[in-house]
PDB file of all heavy atoms in Angstrom:
ATOM      1  N   LEU W 660      71.319  71.842  19.628  1.00 95.00           N
ATOM      2  CA  LEU W 660      71.867  72.768  20.623  1.00 95.00           C
ATOM      3  C   LEU W 660      71.154  74.111  20.574  1.00 95.00           C
ATOM      4  O   LEU W 660      70.939  74.780  21.574  1.00 95.00           O
ATOM      5  CB  LEU W 660      73.376  72.923  20.414  1.00 95.00           C
ATOM      6  CG  LEU W 660      74.203  71.628  20.630  1.00 95.00           C
ATOM      7  CD1 LEU W 660      75.676  71.932  20.411  1.00 95.00           C
ATOM      8  CD2 LEU W 660      73.997  71.038  21.990  1.00 95.00           C
ATOM      9  N   LEU W 663      68.217  74.706  22.873  1.00 97.00           N
ATOM     10  CA  LEU W 663      68.427  74.602  24.300  1.00 97.00           C
ATOM     11  C   LEU W 663      68.939  75.939  24.883  1.00 97.00           C
ATOM     12  O   LEU W 663      69.557  76.733  24.185  1.00 97.00           O
ATOM     13  CB  LEU W 663      69.471  73.523  24.608  1.00 97.00           C
ATOM     14  CG  LEU W 663      69.169  72.109  24.130  1.00 97.00           C
ATOM     15  CD1 LEU W 663      70.350  71.193  24.416  1.00 97.00           C
ATOM     16  CD2 LEU W 663      67.905  71.560  24.793  1.00 97.00           C
ATOM     17  N   ASN W 685      81.118  72.306  18.319  1.00 94.00           N
ATOM     18  CA  ASN W 685      79.676  72.583  18.456  1.00 94.00           C
ATOM     19  C   ASN W 685      79.341  73.058  19.850  1.00 94.00           C
ATOM     20  O   ASN W 685      78.524  73.962  20.026  1.00 94.00           O
ATOM     21  CB  ASN W 685      78.871  71.306  18.148  1.00 94.00           C
ATOM     22  CG  ASN W 685      78.867  70.968  16.692  1.00 94.00           C
ATOM     23  OD1 ASN W 685      79.362  71.737  15.847  1.00 94.00           O
ATOM     24  ND2 ASN W 685      78.349  69.803  16.356  1.00 94.00           N
ATOM     25  N   LEU W 686      80.004  72.477  20.839  1.00 96.00           N
ATOM     26  CA  LEU W 686      79.732  72.869  22.221  1.00 96.00           C
ATOM     27  C   LEU W 686      80.182  74.305  22.491  1.00 96.00           C
ATOM     28  O   LEU W 686      79.490  75.084  23.134  1.00 96.00           O
ATOM     29  CB  LEU W 686      80.418  71.896  23.201  1.00 96.00           C
ATOM     30  CG  LEU W 686      79.934  70.431  23.114  1.00 96.00           C
ATOM     31  CD1 LEU W 686      80.754  69.552  24.080  1.00 96.00           C
ATOM     32  CD2 LEU W 686      78.478  70.311  23.455  1.00 96.00           C
ATOM     33  N   THR W 687      81.392  74.614  21.960  1.00 95.00           N
ATOM     34  CA  THR W 687      81.891  75.985  22.153  1.00 95.00           C
ATOM     35  C   THR W 687      81.008  77.006  21.444  1.00 95.00           C
ATOM     36  O   THR W 687      80.712  78.070  21.961  1.00 95.00           O
ATOM     37  CB  THR W 687      83.335  76.081  21.667  1.00 95.00           C
ATOM     38  OG1 THR W 687      84.139  75.114  22.371  1.00 95.00           O
ATOM     39  CG2 THR W 687      83.883  77.463  21.923  1.00 95.00           C
ATOM     40  N   ALA W 688      80.552  76.662  20.250  1.00 95.00           N
ATOM     41  CA  ALA W 688      79.696  77.555  19.498  1.00 95.00           C
ATOM     42  C   ALA W 688      78.377  77.750  20.205  1.00 95.00           C
ATOM     43  O   ALA W 688      77.804  78.855  20.197  1.00 95.00           O
ATOM     44  CB  ALA W 688      79.464  76.992  18.090  1.00 95.00           C
ATOM     45  N   PHE W 689      77.873  76.701  20.848  1.00 97.00           N
ATOM     46  CA  PHE W 689      76.630  76.805  21.643  1.00 97.00           C
ATOM     47  C   PHE W 689      76.774  77.865  22.711  1.00 97.00           C
ATOM     48  O   PHE W 689      75.859  78.702  22.932  1.00 97.00           O
ATOM     49  CB  PHE W 689      76.294  75.450  22.254  1.00 97.00           C
ATOM     50  CG  PHE W 689      75.265  75.491  23.332  1.00 97.00           C
ATOM     51  CD1 PHE W 689      73.940  75.702  23.076  1.00 97.00           C
ATOM     52  CD2 PHE W 689      75.644  75.273  24.665  1.00 97.00           C
ATOM     53  CE1 PHE W 689      72.969  75.731  24.084  1.00 97.00           C
ATOM     54  CE2 PHE W 689      74.723  75.297  25.681  1.00 97.00           C
ATOM     55  CZ  PHE W 689      73.377  75.528  25.400  1.00 97.00           C
ATOM     56  N   VAL W 690      77.907  77.877  23.399  1.00 97.00           N
ATOM     57  CA  VAL W 690      78.135  78.888  24.459  1.00 97.00           C
ATOM     58  C   VAL W 690      78.255  80.274  23.846  1.00 97.00           C
ATOM     59  O   VAL W 690      77.638  81.243  24.302  1.00 97.00           O
ATOM     60  CB  VAL W 690      79.398  78.526  25.268  1.00 97.00           C
ATOM     61  CG1 VAL W 690      79.663  79.595  26.315  1.00 97.00           C
ATOM     62  CG2 VAL W 690      79.199  77.163  25.927  1.00 97.00           C
ATOM     63  N   ARG W 691      79.013  80.409  22.773  1.00 96.00           N
ATOM     64  CA  ARG W 691      79.227  81.738  22.172  1.00 96.00           C
ATOM     65  C   ARG W 691      77.936  82.347  21.678  1.00 96.00           C
ATOM     66  O   ARG W 691      77.751  83.580  21.679  1.00 96.00           O
ATOM     67  CB  ARG W 691      80.236  81.625  21.031  1.00 96.00           C
ATOM     68  CG  ARG W 691      81.645  81.226  21.450  1.00 96.00           C
ATOM     69  CD  ARG W 691      82.580  81.182  20.269  1.00 96.00           C
ATOM     70  NE  ARG W 691      83.895  80.704  20.635  1.00 96.00           N
ATOM     71  CZ  ARG W 691      84.865  81.441  21.184  1.00 96.00           C
ATOM     72  NH1 ARG W 691      84.617  82.726  21.435  1.00 96.00           N
ATOM     73  NH2 ARG W 691      86.031  80.909  21.502  1.00 96.00           N
ATOM     74  N   ARG W 692      76.983  81.506  21.267  1.00 96.00           N
ATOM     75  CA  ARG W 692      75.707  82.018  20.798  1.00 96.00           C
ATOM     76  C   ARG W 692      74.753  82.357  21.905  1.00 96.00           C
ATOM     77  O   ARG W 692      73.597  82.734  21.642  1.00 96.00           O
ATOM     78  CB  ARG W 692      75.095  81.013  19.806  1.00 96.00           C
ATOM     79  CG  ARG W 692      75.817  80.898  18.514  1.00 96.00           C
ATOM     80  CD  ARG W 692      74.993  80.162  17.467  1.00 96.00           C
ATOM     81  NE  ARG W 692      74.688  78.790  17.889  1.00 96.00           N
ATOM     82  CZ  ARG W 692      75.415  77.724  17.586  1.00 96.00           C
ATOM     83  NH1 ARG W 692      76.527  77.863  16.878  1.00 96.00           N
ATOM     84  NH2 ARG W 692      75.040  76.531  18.016  1.00 96.00           N
ATOM     85  N   GLY W 693      75.108  82.125  23.164  1.00 97.00           N
ATOM     86  CA  GLY W 693      74.239  82.493  24.282  1.00 97.00           C
ATOM     87  C   GLY W 693      73.817  81.354  25.180  1.00 97.00           C
ATOM     88  O   GLY W 693      73.049  81.586  26.124  1.00 97.00           O
ATOM     89  N   GLY W 694      74.289  80.150  24.910  1.00 98.00           N
ATOM     90  CA  GLY W 694      73.909  78.999  25.742  1.00 98.00           C
ATOM     91  C   GLY W 694      74.732  78.932  27.008  1.00 98.00           C
ATOM     92  O   GLY W 694      75.781  79.579  27.115  1.00 98.00           O
TER      93      GLY W 694
END
Side-chain angles (χ1 to χ4, degrees):
L660 297 180
L663 302 175
N685 288 353
L686 298 176
T687 303
F689 165 73
V690 177
R691 295 182 185 277
R692 290 194 299 267

